[in-house]
Amino acid sequence: MDLNKRKEIEGMPLEKLKTFFIKYSIEKYRAEQVFNWIHNHLVFDFDEMKNIPKDLRIKLNEIFNLISLKKELGQDSLQTKTRKFLFTTSDDKKIESVIIPDKERNTLCLSTQVGCPLDCKFCATGLMGYKRNLSAAEIVDQYLLTAKHYGKEFITNIVYMGMGEPLLNFENTIESLRVFTCELNKVLSRNRITVSTSGIPQRIIDLADSKIKVKLALSLHSTYDEIRNTIMPINKKYPLGENIKAIKYYAQQTKTRITFEYTMLQGINDRKEDIKGLVRLCSLVPSKINIIPFNSIAHMSPDGISAKLIPTDKKRIYEFAQELRDKNLTVMIRDTQGDDIAAACGQLAIRN
Ligand code: SAH
Ligand code: SF4
């Protein structure tokens, strides 16, 4: 068997794994055992799976590849406990994940693509362009390898907020979610997983219909199409109205609240009329607002409109949040974590 043609096993949801095992005449219950070793015990070598007989281990080694990413040296923030992990893919692309430890939770921020095709003007990943989708295994590997690094129970939350647009890599994102939310996966709980999207309406509906029931965050940044069009080109294709219909459906089907991510840009989305727009929008959809201080992308030497974007100052951010709270909206202000190592939101970019 050609080793390069082996299937990536860790990105397979249990049902798919069972189908594969049957295809290769391996008893179905073995799929559960192997899934358990990989995802609950973080064992990445078939030969260490003690309840699997030797001849089957040989067979598994022939059919499957286990762990396709290679973990490179991480980088720690000196200001916070944030740590950035760099991974190399088998075709020598580089991607990043970020661990954000906090008081009650430790969050892993995953990437779904090498780069991103959507070119949002405030985002370093957007500026680097798009290379390719990550496979489901490459998405899951980011979790497995960081979980192994820190110990099994360390990571409590996963956010799909690293490099790339998860809903443009829909199949693989769904498969990775099925792995993480599988009943047999004892380490993670499904209400601790959030998928963030810039807004692909049909895919939001498909995600709702998948019945996976994770939390959804919409990168909103403005409630006005004219403004969104200038900072997020994808809005021209999928304007807000369509996304609002889709997230309403999502909230109904999953009985969850939508999080609106709102990166504060001076003079662009921090004005009086932006408060009005948010109040109107939040009255339409069960939701909360997550305000993100804009992290500089100056290290990318941007040009055009990107070069002109300025963070809203701290005082205005707090004022803005208070004005929204006064209107009974739920608002959080996200800490800027790890901006000294370019690991904060929107700062992930590597020259591939
Ligand atoms: N592609 C998805 C997920 C990755 S981006 C999406 O756009 O939702 C994760 C979050 O970081 C998004 O809300 C994005 O808008 C935000 N973000 C991007 N660049 C940023 C920056 N420079 N400063 C602050 N937030 C940023
Ligand atoms: Fe892509 Fe999200 Fe960055 Fe936009 S904000 S370019 S969708 S990663």
Side-chain angles (χ1 to χ4, degrees):
M1 159 114 25
D2 180 351
L3 287 188
N4 293 323
K5 294 224 174 89
R6 290 182 304 174
K7 305 276 177 232
E8 296 177 310
I9 192 171
E10 72 280 22
M12 287 188 193
L14 187 58
E15 285 314 307
K16 186 169 176 181
L17 194 59
K18 283 182 181 167
T19 313
F20 248 92
F21 272 36
I22 292 166
K23 186 172 146 199
Y24 285 97
S25 315
I26 306 169
E27 288 153 302
K28 214 163 68 172
Y29 78 97
R30 295 287 183 198
E32 290 184 4
Q33 290 179 326
V34 171
F35 189 97
N36 190 34
W37 277 114
I38 300 173
H39 299 286
N40 293 321
H41 297 286
L42 305 176
V43 166
F44 306 148
D45 182 347
F46 294 116
D47 291 325
E48 286 174 27
M49 300 182 179
K50 295 191 194 80
N51 54 0
I52 308 289
K54 185 151 186 230
D55 52 342
L56 180 52
R57 281 185 266 139
I58 293 171
K59 191 165 175 175
L60 291 174
N61 271 314
E62 281 172 1
I63 305 169
F64 295 109
N65 178 50
L66 215 176
I67 304 294
S68 62
L69 289 184
K70 201 166 131 237
K71 182 156 72 68
E72 307 290 344
L73 275 183
Q75 198 182 358
D76 294 304
S77 166
L78 297 176
Q79 291 155 15
T80 65
K81 291 196 184 114
T82 298
R83 171 182 272 233
K84 187 158 77 167
F85 284 93
L86 180 67
F87 297 100
T88 309
T89 63
S90 53
D91 58 346
D92 213 25
K93 302 270 184 288
K94 305 273 190 271
I95 58 160
E96 290 177 321
S97 319
V98 181
I99 289 275
I100 309 147
D102 204 350
K103 280 174 228 96
E104 306 110 52
R105 56 172 170 249
N106 298 310
T107 304
L108 170 67
C109 177
L110 290 182
S111 294
T112 52
Q113 298 182 312
V114 185
C116 181
L118 294 188
D119 194 27
C120 298
K121 301 302 173 194
F122 45 81
C123 174
T125 310
L127 291 184
M128 73 181 264
Y130 168 72
K131 301 287 180 328
R132 71 166 171 86
N133 280 333
L134 294 181
S135 67
E138 288 169 329
I139 299 172
V140 171
D141 280 358
Q142 296 169 64
Y143 168 76
L144 292 175
L145 292 171
T146 45
K148 182 109 178 168
H149 178 92
Y150 284 100
K152 212 167 60 192
E153 265 143 42
F154 183 81
I155 297 169
T156 56
N157 292 56
I158 295 183
V159 293
Y160 283 61
M161 292 185 190
M163 302 164 87
E165 168 50 53
L167 299 191
L168 286 185
N169 183 9
F170 191 72
E171 297 301 323
N172 296 339
T173 293
I174 290 278
E175 292 218 328
S176 68
L177 289 171
R178 287 199 197 286
V179 169
F180 292 142
T181 59
C182 177
E183 265 176 32
L184 214 67
N185 195 335
K186 296 197 182 69
V187 187
L188 283 161
S189 132
R190 67 174 67 195
N191 55 14
R192 292 178 169 271
I193 301 177
T194 303
V195 172
S196 172
T197 178
S198 55
I200 317 288
Q202 186 53 49
R203 292 303 184 214
I204 293 175
I205 291 168
D206 295 342
L207 184 62
D209 290 341
S210 76
K211 306 266 187 281
I212 297 179
K213 272 198 185 161
V214 286
K215 291 198 243 171
L216 183 72
L218 177 71
S219 292
L220 181 68
H221 311 311
S222 174
T223 55
Y224 299 103
D225 276 324
E226 316 82 81
I227 294 177
R228 233 173 159 253
N229 285 345
T230 58
I231 53 175
M232 302 176 74
I234 187 66
N235 193 69
K236 292 180 201 151
K237 192 164 174 195
Y238 304 121
L240 267 173
E242 283 181 42
N243 274 302
I244 293 168
K245 269 192 227 151
I247 57 174
K248 265 188 181 169
Y249 180 78
Y250 192 89
Q252 268 165 9
Q253 295 298 309
T254 58
K255 302 193 172 44
T256 55
R257 277 205 286 180
I258 306 294
T259 300
F260 291 124
E261 292 169 282
Y262 201 88
T263 297
M264 299 287 293
L265 302 165
Q266 194 187 89
I268 293 179
N269 62 8
D270 60 359
R271 308 154 309 160
K272 278 260 166 285
E273 53 264 56
D274 297 309
I275 302 271
K276 270 197 204 145
L278 283 167
V279 171
R280 203 179 321 120
L281 177 56
C282 289
S283 73
L284 300 175
V285 194
S287 51
K288 55 186 178 195
I289 300 169
N290 197 346
I291 288 182
I292 313 171
F294 172 49
N295 298 308
S296 171
I297 49 168
H299 62 289
M300 299 285 291
S301 316
D303 55 15
I305 174 173
S306 302
K308 297 196 190 106
L309 299 175
I310 302 169
T312 299
D313 63 62
K314 237 187 175 161
K315 182 166 160 282
R316 178 66 191 140
I317 292 182
Y318 282 100
E319 239 173 51
F320 192 86
Q322 194 51 48
E323 285 171 45
L324 293 169
R325 287 181 185 132
D326 290 345
K327 306 275 185 193
N328 288 326
L329 305 190
T330 309
V331 184
M332 290 163 303
I333 302 177
R334 191 185 294 171
D335 281 350
T336 292
Q337 290 236 22
D339 57 340
D340 59 327
I341 52 168
C345 292
Q347 289 186 316
L348 301 184
I350 308 155
R351 295 197 196 291
N352 268 288

